[in-house]
Amino acid sequence: MADTPPLRFRPHHFLCALGFQGKGYSDDFTANMRAIVMGRLRTPEGRETRIKLTGYADDICAPCPKRQGRLCTNQQSISQLDRSHAAALKLQPHEELTWGEALQRIKQNVPPGALSTVCSGCQWLEYGLCEDALKRLHDSDEG
């Protein structure tokens, strides 16, 4: 794993990866997200997966139908989500951390119920997938 380049994540994708349950914007997007989340982060060695913070389209965004180059058709909303998540998780520009360290940050800094504020404006919020995942994280020994 040490020779594998780190995943590139926008700040809001840490919580998206936590809450991912197999749904997405398109078949290609969902397949890519599944490969990243289920194929890397949620594997037995997934906690050691390195992630590097970026402020632009990342590895999750790659096949997204809303991506426009390095930006998004909803860039203003996405930038607001990124700012909110970076502040909540105490993320610094270009920071690199492992998925295990990210889980610790989520557990330490995002209590159950906080997603209505941290993720305000996210179209996925209403489905409750991320809130359920956040509660499971807080109830587990992970993080």
Side-chain angles (χ1 to χ4, degrees), residues 82-100:
D82 281 343
R83 284 190 298 273
S84 176
H85 285 74
L89 298 175
K90 300 175 176 31
L91 296 168
Q92 301 300 315
H94 310 291
E95 182 175 359
E96 192 171 311
L97 65 163
T98 66
W99 177 241

Side-chain angles (χ1 to χ4, degrees), residues 24-120:
Y25 300 109
S26 68
D27 290 344
D28 288 343
F29 177 88
T30 303
N32 180 61
M33 183 85 167
R34 184 178 293 112
I36 290 170
V37 174
M38 308 299 198
R40 292 189 65 183
L41 302 179
R42 294 187 189 165
T43 64
E45 62 279 353
R47 291 176 61 87
E48 300 306 314
T49 302
R50 294 177 306 126
I51 301 169
K52 184 172 178 101
L53 206 61
T54 183
Y56 298 101
D58 62 11
D59 291 332
I60 288 175
C61 299
C64 185
K66 296 181 179 190
R67 184 174 59 84
Q68 290 185 322
R70 294 174 21 151
L71 302 176
C72 181
T73 59
N74 300 332
Q75 190 59 43
Q76 187 173 350
S77 174
I78 294 301
S79 292
Q80 177 55 42
L81 284 171
D82 281 343
R83 284 190 298 273
S84 176
H85 285 74
L89 298 175
K90 300 175 176 31
L91 296 168
Q92 301 300 315
H94 310 291
E95 182 175 359
E96 192 171 311
L97 65 163
T98 66
W99 177 241
E101 291 167 337
L103 290 172
Q104 289 174 342
R105 292 232 193 139
I106 293 168
K107 194 168 184 176
Q108 291 168 355
N109 297 296
V110 185
L115 297 186
S116 61
T117 301
V118 175
C119 301
S120 179

Side-chain angles (χ1 to χ4, degrees), residues 15-24 42 115 124-136:
L15 287 168
C16 295
L18 178 70
F20 178 72
Q21 295 297 318
K23 299 177 184 1
R42 294 187 189 165
L115 297 186
W124 296 96
L125 188 59
E126 67 184 88
Y127 298 105
L129 302 172
C130 297
E131 186 63 42
D132 290 346
L134 182 62
K135 288 177 185 170
R136 284 193 302 276

